[in-house]
PDB file of all heavy atoms in Angstrom:
ATOM      1  N   TYR A   1       0.885  -1.185   0.046  1.00 65.00           N
ATOM      2  CA  TYR A   1       0.005  -0.026  -0.018  1.00 65.00           C
ATOM      3  C   TYR A   1       0.852   1.226  -0.001  1.00 65.00           C
ATOM      4  O   TYR A   1       0.633   2.086  -0.747  1.00 65.00           O
ATOM      5  CB  TYR A   1      -0.871  -0.016   1.161  1.00 65.00           C
ATOM      6  CG  TYR A   1      -1.745   1.267   1.321  1.00 65.00           C
ATOM      7  CD1 TYR A   1      -2.918   1.457   0.491  1.00 65.00           C
ATOM      8  CD2 TYR A   1      -1.527   2.167   2.291  1.00 65.00           C
ATOM      9  CE1 TYR A   1      -3.556   2.575   0.553  1.00 65.00           C
ATOM     10  CE2 TYR A   1      -2.170   3.394   2.410  1.00 65.00           C
ATOM     11  CZ  TYR A   1      -3.402   3.503   1.433  1.00 65.00           C
ATOM     12  OH  TYR A   1      -4.066   4.671   1.658  1.00 65.00           O
ATOM     13  N   LEU A   2       1.939   1.290   0.905  1.00 63.00           N
ATOM     14  CA  LEU A   2       2.761   2.467   0.860  1.00 63.00           C
ATOM     15  C   LEU A   2       3.541   2.633  -0.445  1.00 63.00           C
ATOM     16  O   LEU A   2       3.708   3.713  -0.861  1.00 63.00           O
ATOM     17  CB  LEU A   2       3.794   2.268   2.019  1.00 63.00           C
ATOM     18  CG  LEU A   2       3.200   2.407   3.561  1.00 63.00           C
ATOM     19  CD1 LEU A   2       4.214   2.086   4.486  1.00 63.00           C
ATOM     20  CD2 LEU A   2       2.518   3.813   3.713  1.00 63.00           C
ATOM     21  N   LEU A   3       3.937   1.487  -0.994  1.00 67.00           N
ATOM     22  CA  LEU A   3       4.613   1.565  -2.225  1.00 67.00           C
ATOM     23  C   LEU A   3       3.732   2.123  -3.268  1.00 67.00           C
ATOM     24  O   LEU A   3       4.092   2.973  -4.142  1.00 67.00           O
ATOM     25  CB  LEU A   3       5.003   0.203  -2.588  1.00 67.00           C
ATOM     26  CG  LEU A   3       5.784  -0.033  -3.924  1.00 67.00           C
ATOM     27  CD1 LEU A   3       7.119   0.584  -3.862  1.00 67.00           C
ATOM     28  CD2 LEU A   3       6.051  -1.539  -4.238  1.00 67.00           C
ATOM     29  N   LEU A   4       2.541   1.711  -3.297  1.00 64.00           N
ATOM     30  CA  LEU A   4       1.484   2.173  -4.311  1.00 64.00           C
ATOM     31  C   LEU A   4       1.071   3.675  -4.120  1.00 64.00           C
ATOM     32  O   LEU A   4       0.800   4.319  -4.966  1.00 64.00           O
ATOM     33  CB  LEU A   4       0.269   1.293  -4.313  1.00 64.00           C
ATOM     34  CG  LEU A   4       0.516  -0.049  -4.826  1.00 64.00           C
ATOM     35  CD1 LEU A   4      -0.645  -1.048  -4.717  1.00 64.00           C
ATOM     36  CD2 LEU A   4       1.047  -0.082  -6.360  1.00 64.00           C
ATOM     37  N   LEU A   5       1.133   4.065  -2.788  1.00 60.00           N
ATOM     38  CA  LEU A   5       0.985   5.471  -2.519  1.00 60.00           C
ATOM     39  C   LEU A   5       1.992   6.326  -3.122  1.00 60.00           C
ATOM     40  O   LEU A   5       1.784   7.467  -3.691  1.00 60.00           O
ATOM     41  CB  LEU A   5       0.856   5.759  -0.972  1.00 60.00           C
ATOM     42  CG  LEU A   5      -0.443   5.512  -0.270  1.00 60.00           C
ATOM     43  CD1 LEU A   5      -0.393   5.768   1.230  1.00 60.00           C
ATOM     44  CD2 LEU A   5      -1.532   6.364  -0.858  1.00 60.00           C
ATOM     45  N   THR A   6       3.176   5.837  -3.038  1.00 62.00           N
ATOM     46  CA  THR A   6       4.344   6.576  -3.646  1.00 62.00           C
ATOM     47  C   THR A   6       4.121   6.724  -5.255  1.00 62.00           C
ATOM     48  O   THR A   6       4.335   7.760  -5.708  1.00 62.00           O
ATOM     49  CB  THR A   6       5.653   5.795  -3.483  1.00 62.00           C
ATOM     50  OG1 THR A   6       5.747   5.638  -1.949  1.00 62.00           O
ATOM     51  CG2 THR A   6       6.836   6.528  -3.980  1.00 62.00           C
ATOM     52  N   VAL A   7       3.710   5.685  -5.828  1.00 59.00           N
ATOM     53  CA  VAL A   7       3.373   5.747  -7.193  1.00 59.00           C
ATOM     54  C   VAL A   7       2.286   6.643  -7.464  1.00 59.00           C
ATOM     55  O   VAL A   7       2.193   7.306  -8.569  1.00 59.00           O
ATOM     56  CB  VAL A   7       3.077   4.267  -7.737  1.00 59.00           C
ATOM     57  CG1 VAL A   7       2.579   4.417  -9.149  1.00 59.00           C
ATOM     58  CG2 VAL A   7       4.319   3.408  -7.652  1.00 59.00           C
ATOM     59  N   GLY A   8       1.265   6.676  -6.535  1.00 55.00           N
ATOM     60  CA  GLY A   8       0.026   7.372  -6.815  1.00 55.00           C
ATOM     61  C   GLY A   8       0.202   8.913  -6.508  1.00 55.00           C
ATOM     62  O   GLY A   8      -0.721   9.654  -6.675  1.00 55.00           O
ATOM     63  N   ILE A   9       1.364   9.511  -6.257  1.00 48.00           N
ATOM     64  CA  ILE A   9       1.558  10.857  -6.038  1.00 48.00           C
ATOM     65  C   ILE A   9       1.075  11.686  -7.316  1.00 48.00           C
ATOM     66  O   ILE A   9       0.451  12.660  -7.166  1.00 48.00           O
ATOM     67  CB  ILE A   9       2.988  11.151  -5.687  1.00 48.00           C
ATOM     68  CG1 ILE A   9       3.276  10.661  -4.267  1.00 48.00           C
ATOM     69  CG2 ILE A   9       3.249  12.699  -5.695  1.00 48.00           C
ATOM     70  CD1 ILE A   9       4.736  10.787  -3.878  1.00 48.00           C
ATOM     71  N   SER A  10       1.337  11.202  -8.369  1.00 46.00           N
ATOM     72  CA  SER A  10       0.863  11.859  -9.574  1.00 46.00           C
ATOM     73  C   SER A  10      -0.060  10.917 -10.355  1.00 46.00           C
ATOM     74  O   SER A  10       0.328  10.333 -11.463  1.00 46.00           O
ATOM     75  CB  SER A  10       2.098  12.217 -10.581  1.00 46.00           C
ATOM     76  OG  SER A  10       2.837  11.162 -10.826  1.00 46.00           O
ATOM     77  N   ALA A  11      -1.176  10.571  -9.798  1.00 46.00           N
ATOM     78  CA  ALA A  11      -2.091   9.593 -10.228  1.00 46.00           C
ATOM     79  C   ALA A  11      -2.583   9.821 -11.623  1.00 46.00           C
ATOM     80  O   ALA A  11      -2.664   8.648 -12.454  1.00 46.00           O
ATOM     81  CB  ALA A  11      -3.284   9.382  -9.293  1.00 46.00           C
ATOM     82  N   THR A  12      -2.911  10.894 -11.969  1.00 46.00           N
ATOM     83  CA  THR A  12      -3.387  11.071 -13.497  1.00 46.00           C
ATOM     84  C   THR A  12      -2.555  10.664 -14.511  1.00 46.00           C
ATOM     85  O   THR A  12      -2.798   9.845 -15.284  1.00 46.00           O
ATOM     86  CB  THR A  12      -4.009  12.530 -13.599  1.00 46.00           C
ATOM     87  OG1 THR A  12      -4.941  12.726 -12.549  1.00 46.00           O
ATOM     88  CG2 THR A  12      -4.631  12.755 -14.762  1.00 46.00           C
ATOM     89  N   PRO A  13      -1.207  11.152 -14.492  1.00 54.00           N
ATOM     90  CA  PRO A  13      -0.328  10.802 -15.459  1.00 54.00           C
ATOM     91  C   PRO A  13       0.045   9.301 -15.336  1.00 54.00           C
ATOM     92  O   PRO A  13       0.117   8.639 -16.302  1.00 54.00           O
ATOM     93  CB  PRO A  13       0.902  11.613 -15.307  1.00 54.00           C
ATOM     94  CG  PRO A  13       0.429  12.835 -14.471  1.00 54.00           C
ATOM     95  CD  PRO A  13      -0.764  12.367 -13.676  1.00 54.00           C
ATOM     96  N   LEU A  14       0.030   8.789 -14.136  1.00 55.00           N
ATOM     97  CA  LEU A  14       0.380   7.364 -13.884  1.00 55.00           C
ATOM     98  C   LEU A  14      -0.720   6.549 -14.546  1.00 55.00           C
ATOM     99  O   LEU A  14      -0.451   5.546 -15.135  1.00 55.00           O
ATOM    100  CB  LEU A  14       0.523   7.119 -12.415  1.00 55.00           C
ATOM    101  CG  LEU A  14       0.713   5.716 -12.076  1.00 55.00           C
ATOM    102  CD1 LEU A  14       2.035   5.222 -12.520  1.00 55.00           C
ATOM    103  CD2 LEU A  14       0.593   5.435 -10.560  1.00 55.00           C
ATOM    104  N   ARG A  15      -2.035   6.896 -14.315  1.00 59.00           N
ATOM    105  CA  ARG A  15      -3.085   6.024 -14.895  1.00 59.00           C
ATOM    106  C   ARG A  15      -2.991   6.101 -16.457  1.00 59.00           C
ATOM    107  O   ARG A  15      -3.189   4.946 -17.006  1.00 59.00           O
ATOM    108  CB  ARG A  15      -4.413   6.744 -14.508  1.00 59.00           C
ATOM    109  CG  ARG A  15      -5.212   5.934 -13.461  1.00 59.00           C
ATOM    110  CD  ARG A  15      -6.450   6.451 -13.191  1.00 59.00           C
ATOM    111  NE  ARG A  15      -6.331   7.701 -12.429  1.00 59.00           N
ATOM    112  CZ  ARG A  15      -7.258   8.561 -12.161  1.00 59.00           C
ATOM    113  NH1 ARG A  15      -8.396   8.326 -12.593  1.00 59.00           N
ATOM    114  NH2 ARG A  15      -6.867   9.706 -11.583  1.00 59.00           N
ATOM    115  N   SER A  16      -2.606   7.165 -16.910  1.00 64.00           N
ATOM    116  CA  SER A  16      -2.570   7.250 -18.370  1.00 64.00           C
ATOM    117  C   SER A  16      -1.386   6.284 -18.826  1.00 64.00           C
ATOM    118  O   SER A  16      -1.486   5.631 -19.829  1.00 64.00           O
ATOM    119  CB  SER A  16      -2.221   8.670 -18.739  1.00 64.00           C
ATOM    120  OG  SER A  16      -1.969   8.752 -20.171  1.00 64.00           O
ATOM    121  N   ASN A  17      -0.271   6.428 -18.091  1.00 74.00           N
ATOM    122  CA  ASN A  17       0.854   5.597 -18.426  1.00 74.00           C
ATOM    123  C   ASN A  17       0.614   4.050 -18.353  1.00 74.00           C
ATOM    124  O   ASN A  17       0.944   3.294 -19.056  1.00 74.00           O
ATOM    125  CB  ASN A  17       2.123   5.991 -17.575  1.00 74.00           C
ATOM    126  CG  ASN A  17       2.727   7.326 -17.920  1.00 74.00           C
ATOM    127  OD1 ASN A  17       2.457   7.845 -19.046  1.00 74.00           O
ATOM    128  ND2 ASN A  17       3.397   7.928 -17.027  1.00 74.00           N
ATOM    129  N   LEU A  18      -0.139   3.733 -17.290  1.00 77.00           N
ATOM    130  CA  LEU A  18      -0.381   2.365 -16.982  1.00 77.00           C
ATOM    131  C   LEU A  18      -1.403   1.772 -18.020  1.00 77.00           C
ATOM    132  O   LEU A  18      -1.326   0.622 -18.452  1.00 77.00           O
ATOM    133  CB  LEU A  18      -1.023   2.164 -15.560  1.00 77.00           C
ATOM    134  CG  LEU A  18       0.008   2.497 -14.481  1.00 77.00           C
ATOM    135  CD1 LEU A  18      -0.792   2.459 -13.049  1.00 77.00           C
ATOM    136  CD2 LEU A  18       1.132   1.442 -14.424  1.00 77.00           C
ATOM    137  N   ALA A  19      -2.342   2.668 -18.476  1.00 81.00           N
ATOM    138  CA  ALA A  19      -3.240   2.264 -19.530  1.00 81.00           C
ATOM    139  C   ALA A  19      -2.574   2.001 -20.892  1.00 81.00           C
ATOM    140  O   ALA A  19      -2.858   1.097 -21.589  1.00 81.00           O
ATOM    141  CB  ALA A  19      -4.279   3.401 -19.733  1.00 81.00           C
ATOM    142  N   GLU A  20      -1.451   3.007 -21.105  1.00 85.00           N
ATOM    143  CA  GLU A  20      -0.689   2.734 -22.335  1.00 85.00           C
ATOM    144  C   GLU A  20       0.005   1.434 -22.211  1.00 85.00           C
ATOM    145  O   GLU A  20       0.149   0.683 -23.238  1.00 85.00           O
ATOM    146  CB  GLU A  20       0.245   3.927 -22.491  1.00 85.00           C
ATOM    147  CG  GLU A  20       1.012   3.939 -23.688  1.00 85.00           C
ATOM    148  CD  GLU A  20       1.985   4.998 -23.694  1.00 85.00           C
ATOM    149  OE1 GLU A  20       1.704   6.050 -23.115  1.00 85.00           O
ATOM    150  OE2 GLU A  20       3.045   5.019 -24.436  1.00 85.00           O
ATOM    151  N   LEU A  21       0.717   1.171 -21.076  1.00 86.00           N
ATOM    152  CA  LEU A  21       1.451   0.055 -20.887  1.00 86.00           C
ATOM    153  C   LEU A  21       0.557  -1.232 -21.134  1.00 86.00           C
ATOM    154  O   LEU A  21       0.992  -2.313 -21.709  1.00 86.00           O
ATOM    155  CB  LEU A  21       2.012  -0.141 -19.470  1.00 86.00           C
ATOM    156  CG  LEU A  21       3.178   0.818 -19.185  1.00 86.00           C
ATOM    157  CD1 LEU A  21       3.622   0.702 -17.709  1.00 86.00           C
ATOM    158  CD2 LEU A  21       4.322   0.708 -20.049  1.00 86.00           C
ATOM    159  N   GLN A  22      -0.705  -1.252 -20.702  1.00 88.00           N
ATOM    160  CA  GLN A  22      -1.661  -2.369 -20.867  1.00 88.00           C
ATOM    161  C   GLN A  22      -1.904  -2.574 -22.388  1.00 88.00           C
ATOM    162  O   GLN A  22      -1.887  -3.811 -22.851  1.00 88.00           O
ATOM    163  CB  GLN A  22      -2.983  -2.191 -20.265  1.00 88.00           C
ATOM    164  CG  GLN A  22      -2.933  -2.378 -18.607  1.00 88.00           C
ATOM    165  CD  GLN A  22      -2.802  -3.854 -18.330  1.00 88.00           C
ATOM    166  OE1 GLN A  22      -2.599  -4.743 -19.133  1.00 88.00           O
ATOM    167  NE2 GLN A  22      -3.024  -4.105 -17.030  1.00 88.00           N
ATOM    168  N   THR A  23      -2.057  -1.524 -23.028  1.00 89.00           N
ATOM    169  CA  THR A  23      -2.290  -1.590 -24.581  1.00 89.00           C
ATOM    170  C   THR A  23      -1.035  -2.235 -25.242  1.00 89.00           C
ATOM    171  O   THR A  23      -1.063  -3.149 -26.135  1.00 89.00           O
ATOM    172  CB  THR A  23      -2.419  -0.340 -25.157  1.00 89.00           C
ATOM    173  OG1 THR A  23      -3.516   0.388 -24.535  1.00 89.00           O
ATOM    174  CG2 THR A  23      -2.731  -0.361 -26.616  1.00 89.00           C
ATOM    175  N   TRP A  24       0.177  -1.829 -24.842  1.00 90.00           N
ATOM    176  CA  TRP A  24       1.380  -2.414 -25.332  1.00 90.00           C
ATOM    177  C   TRP A  24       1.527  -3.860 -25.035  1.00 90.00           C
ATOM    178  O   TRP A  24       1.842  -4.734 -25.876  1.00 90.00           O
ATOM    179  CB  TRP A  24       2.718  -1.594 -24.882  1.00 90.00           C
ATOM    180  CG  TRP A  24       2.962  -0.376 -25.553  1.00 90.00           C
ATOM    181  CD1 TRP A  24       2.861   0.928 -25.093  1.00 90.00           C
ATOM    182  CD2 TRP A  24       3.361  -0.307 -26.905  1.00 90.00           C
ATOM    183  NE1 TRP A  24       3.217   1.711 -26.147  1.00 90.00           N
ATOM    184  CE2 TRP A  24       3.674   1.160 -27.261  1.00 90.00           C
ATOM    185  CE3 TRP A  24       3.830  -1.219 -27.931  1.00 90.00           C
ATOM    186  CZ2 TRP A  24       4.080   1.548 -28.445  1.00 90.00           C
ATOM    187  CZ3 TRP A  24       4.279  -0.789 -29.108  1.00 90.00           C
ATOM    188  CH2 TRP A  24       4.496   0.515 -29.373  1.00 90.00           C
TER     189      TRP A  24
END
């Protein structure tokens, strides 16, 4: 959870990047 909070600091760009990774 703490690790994911660190990732979630900039959640909007992260979500976009993660969605792009899923497509790839």
Side-chain angles (χ1 to χ4, degrees):
Y1 176 74
L2 291 173
L3 182 66
L4 294 173
L5 274 177
T6 302
V7 171
I9 290 172
S10 57
T12 303
L14 176 64
R15 254 185 289 171
S16 173
N17 290 341
L18 292 173
E20 182 182 334
L21 290 177
Q22 284 288 14
T23 301
W24 278 109

